[in-house]
Amino acid sequence: MITTSRNRINRTSRIDAASKRKKEQFWKRILITDDDVDITTTFKISIDYANSISNNRRIEVHRHNDPSTALSEFQSNFFDLLLIDINLLHMNGFQVCEKILELDINVRVCFMSSGEINREALREIYPAAGCFIKKPVNLNYLIERIKAELD
């Protein structure tokens, strides 16, 4: 059988697509919801930087500063972890969490706040809440908490 260049291209593109799908399996997706644009931007830049120096784990960051937009764009079984600020405008982080858990019971949640909170009470009310991140947060600690939650 004679192999044409067209057959080689099709076979190569199928191999490339398969390897791309295989590579994407190692990606984890997180959704950051905070009404402070500086926080969501800084967190995204820090996570993207951690991606650039990591060989084994990649994290795709989606961020929203409006909880309503985050809810409308939320997809079930798409995100692996949510970082939600408790003190959002128009809706608090607990309300956002409740609505999201109605759509996807398996997604993990980390609440963030600059205020104090009883972590044990938080875990009793929201068992999906794997962690609590106090702001301001050291960015290295943030990356480590995210990695721990995704493992």
Side-chain angles (χ1 to χ4, degrees):
M1 179 175 154
I2 300 173
T3 304
T4 64
S5 62
R6 179 181 220 136
N7 287 342
R8 279 192 298 257
I9 291 170
N10 286 340
R11 192 174 27 216
T12 302
S13 64
R14 283 194 305 261
I15 292 169
D16 289 344
S19 69
K20 183 178 179 184
R21 279 194 304 275
K22 194 173 190 180
K23 185 177 181 180
E24 287 173 350
Q25 290 175 355
F26 294 101
W27 283 80
K28 298 289 186 176
R29 293 183 184 101
I30 67 169
L31 172 63
I32 302 172
T33 305
D34 194 309
D35 51 4
D36 187 334
V37 176
D38 291 337
I39 287 178
T40 56
T41 301
T42 302
F43 285 9
K44 179 171 177 21
I45 290 168
S46 298
I47 295 165
D48 288 346
Y49 176 73
N51 283 336
S52 71
I53 60 174
S54 174
N55 294 326
N56 59 352
R57 160 99 20 105
R58 300 281 190 237
I59 301 170
E60 181 180 320
V61 178
H62 298 254
R63 60 193 167 116
H64 292 286
N65 300 105
D66 178 10
S68 299
T69 306
L71 286 171
S72 67
E73 294 185 13
F74 181 81
Q75 301 171 38
S76 182
N77 298 316
F78 184 78
F79 293 103
D80 299 289
L81 178 65
L82 308 176
L83 270 66
I84 305 173
D85 184 31
I86 292 174
N87 301 312
L88 297 166
L89 297 176
H90 312 297
M91 183 183 305
N92 69 44
F94 301 124
Q95 293 167 319
V96 173
C97 181
E98 286 174 8
K99 291 180 187 247
I100 285 177
L101 289 175
E102 289 174 8
L103 301 171
D104 185 351
I105 192 72
N106 296 314
V107 69
R108 291 182 223 150
V109 180
C110 282
F111 286 109
M112 305 181 293
S113 179
S114 57
E116 293 297 321
I117 191 160
N118 183 329
R119 294 175 192 213
E120 296 307 315
L122 179 67
R123 284 197 182 99
E124 284 181 29
I125 297 169
Y126 297 98
C131 70
F132 174 78
I133 297 172
K134 178 130 173 74
K135 297 187 295 184
V137 61
N138 174 295
L139 296 174
N140 290 327
Y141 174 78
L142 174 72
I143 301 296
E144 292 306 314
R145 285 300 315 151
I146 290 170
K147 286 180 180 179
E149 289 301 315
L150 291 173
D151 282 338

